[in-house]
Amino acid sequence: MKKIKLIISACAFIAGAGTAIVLDVQAAAAPQIFYDWIDWNGNTILYGVTQQQAQSLCAPSIDVCLRAKGNVLIHTTGILPW
């Protein structure tokens, strides 16, 4: 019984570590990828721009300003000027 618990724990650890690595790689590659950017109401604000370009539209703040349409983990910080 202990061997089965150990095997299940090891599989869960490997799956969790693999997921963390994949998500980290996607986030690191985000600045070079072009996205459509939406606000919190779901309105598309920008089409086909990088994260850096979208960030330049937002005024400084700690809030989430815009989100990438295809990936909820990629966002900009700040507030929209309007």
Side-chain angles (χ1 to χ4, degrees):
M1 190 67 171
K2 287 185 179 183
K3 289 182 182 180
I4 293 174
K5 287 183 180 180
L6 182 63
I7 290 172
I8 291 172
S9 296
C11 290
F13 174 76
I14 291 170
T19 302
I21 290 169
V22 168
L23 290 177
D24 188 41
V25 169
Q26 287 178 351
Q32 298 84 15
I33 300 173
F34 294 94
Y35 291 102
D36 293 339
W37 295 89
I38 57 173
D39 62 6
W40 283 102
N41 296 326
N43 300 323
T44 303
I45 304 298
L46 299 169
Y47 293 95
V49 297
T50 64
Q51 186 176 14
Q52 284 182 324
Q53 293 167 331
Q55 181 65 50
S56 67
L57 180 68
C58 300
S61 175
I62 60 170
D63 298 325
V64 174
C65 180
L66 298 172
R67 297 174 293 146
K69 199 171 194 176
N71 190 337
V72 295
L73 299 176
I74 299 173
H75 58 80
T76 62
T77 56
I79 55 173
L80 290 173
W82 56 86

